[in-house]
């Protein structure tokens, strides 16, 4: 285990959010030490985390923010700062925007009818609500949601969320899949942490609902709220996999982001086991 400083711009994101949003206003949900002094979280690189990717025969990165310890742990200091297409992890932001704009009013009652096009992922070939769509990561549903939101409103919220590079060029229903949007793992952690704290610039209701519909995995006495992403999933040509979310173990919270190359079919199913292994290693679950 070697302590190494991350790039100042990247690692300062987490504390910058607290300063910008107002430490006093958020004092009930922030670590007390965050109120004592405004300084970047402690951080370290663990080579043993990086080895987990190489042992699988692939490349990837993991970043975990242990909230109560005010500690960021990562597998590397290079790929953790490289922006990549978010794929279906953008469904978290897309869901928030849908609810905030009224494109979706109720995640359990508003129905998006299947368009009749048969796609490689069978679970997509049916009617969906927002809750069922995020559970199976139904790309066509979220493409329709994005079209209903429209370019102007989508750009407004992506800017307000300070989501990655904020570039939604490449098509209103493609920008997170094949377009210009890029986000790195540290930025993913920052965004998800703001959702966890209900600190995003949208209503608490929208944030509560999105946190509630996130898929949940239970591991022992821990709960992991997570959204997956897989580039090329809709074409049956996977290339890059994501897992982002947060783990709850008692009163302790760890926000995380993992991405890995998934150029072989066997690697697609390794995303969650690897995420759990990384979380276990840093004591998050």
């Amino acid at each position: 285990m070697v302590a190494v400083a991350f790039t100042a711009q990247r690692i300062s994101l987490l504390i910058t959010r607290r300063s910008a949003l107002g430490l006093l206003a958020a004092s009930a949900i922030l670590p007390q030490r965050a109120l004592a002094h405004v300084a970047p979280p402690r951080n370290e690189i663990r080579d043993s985390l990086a080895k987990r990717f190489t042992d699988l025969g692939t490349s990837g990165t993991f970043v975990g923010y242990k909230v109560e310890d005010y500690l960021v742990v990562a597998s590397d200091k290079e790929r953790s700062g490289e922006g990549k297409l978010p794929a279906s992890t953008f469904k978290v932001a897309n869901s928030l925007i849908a609810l905030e704009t009224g494109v979706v009013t109720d995640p359990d009652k508003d129905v998006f009818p299947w368009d009749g096009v048969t796609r490689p992922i069978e679970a997509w070939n049916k009617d969906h609500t927002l809750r069922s769509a995020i559970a199976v990561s139904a790309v066509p549903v979220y493409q329709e949601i994005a079209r209903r939101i429209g370019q102007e409103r989508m750009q407004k919220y992506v800017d307000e969320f300070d989501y990655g590079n904020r570039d939604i060029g490449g098509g209103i229903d493609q920008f997170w899949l094949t377009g210009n949007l890029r986000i790195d793992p540290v930025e993913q952690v920052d965004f998800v942490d703001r959702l966890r704290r209900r600190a995003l610039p949208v209503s608490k209701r929208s944030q509560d609902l999105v946190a509630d519909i996130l898929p949940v995995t239970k591991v022992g006495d821990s709960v992991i709220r997570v959204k997956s992403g897989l580039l090329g999933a809709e074409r049956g040509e996977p290339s890059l996999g994501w897992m982002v979310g947060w783990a709850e173990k008692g009163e302790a919270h760890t926000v995380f982001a993992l991405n890995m190359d998934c150029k072989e079919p066997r690697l697609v199913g390794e995303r969650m086991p690897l995420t759990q292994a990384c979380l276990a290693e840093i004591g998050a679950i």
Side-chain angles (χ1 to χ4, degrees), residues 25-280:
S27 61
I29 51 176
L30 286 175
Q32 288 303 307
R33 72 189 69 188
L35 301 177
H37 54 83
V38 178
R42 296 180 299 118
N43 55 88
E44 62 185 50
I45 303 295
R46 293 194 186 180
D47 294 337
S48 55
L49 291 171
K51 186 175 183 296
R52 293 185 181 276
F53 294 94
T54 56
D55 285 349
L56 278 176
T58 191
S59 298
T61 186
F62 172 85
V63 177
Y65 172 41
K66 302 190 73 177
V67 176
E68 284 71 29
D69 294 339
Y70 214 46
L71 172 68
V72 177
V73 184
S75 61
D76 65 90
K77 59 176 180 176
E78 290 83 27
R79 182 160 171 157
S80 61
E82 294 177 2
K84 299 185 182 294
L85 279 159
S88 285
T89 64
F90 185 72
K91 287 184 173 71
V92 179
N94 209 353
S95 297
L96 286 164
I97 299 167
L99 288 161
E100 196 68 9
T101 57
V103 165
V104 175
T105 57
D106 189 313
D108 295 301
K109 294 181 180 178
D110 293 8
V111 176
F112 292 84
W114 178 39
D115 61 8
V117 177
T118 301
R119 296 177 174 87
I121 300 176
E122 183 59 35
W124 295 0
N125 302 326
K126 57 182 289 188
D127 296 351
H128 278 288
T129 62
L130 194 67
R131 186 184 298 275
S132 68
I134 201 169
V136 300
S137 208
V139 168
V141 172
Y142 277 88
Q143 289 180 307
E144 175 60 22
I145 287 172
R147 289 189 288 266
R148 294 186 189 182
I149 291 169
Q151 189 84 14
E152 184 176 348
R153 291 192 295 182
M154 184 70 79
Q155 187 66 67
K156 171 183 179 289
Y157 282 101
V158 168
D159 285 342
E160 290 183 357
F161 290 167
D162 195 13
Y163 190 95
N165 67 357
R166 306 185 186 187
D167 188 343
I168 64 171
I172 188 60
D173 57 4
Q174 285 291 329
F175 65 85
W176 68 94
L177 299 167
T178 61
N180 298 343
L181 189 61
R182 298 292 185 275
I183 190 167
D184 67 45
V186 173
E187 291 169 333
Q188 289 270 32
V189 167
D190 167 55
F191 174 72
V192 172
D193 186 49
R194 284 182 286 153
L195 170 61
R196 181 192 64 83
R197 295 187 288 113
R198 309 301 195 265
L200 288 164
V202 292
S203 67
K204 183 176 182 296
R205 175 184 182 272
S206 294
Q207 295 178 83
D208 284 345
L209 288 172
V210 172
D212 181 63
I213 66 174
L214 279 178
V216 171
T217 297
K218 295 185 178 180
V219 181
D221 60 352
S222 300
V223 172
I224 305 172
R225 303 182 190 278
V226 65
K227 183 67 198 79
S228 62
L230 186 64
L231 285 182
E234 69 281 4
R235 301 186 305 275
E237 302 171 357
S239 58
L240 174 78
W242 280 100
M243 300 295 281
V244 304
W246 70 89
E248 304 167 0
K249 183 179 182 181
E251 297 300 314
H253 298 81
T254 301
V255 189
F256 63 87
L258 173 148
N259 72 43
M260 58 186 281
D261 295 340
C262 291
K263 297 176 182 179
E264 300 174 52
R266 67 176 178 87
L267 294 169
V268 174
E270 295 290 345
R271 289 172 298 163
M272 190 57 171
L274 182 55
T275 298
Q276 291 185 28
C278 291
L279 288 171

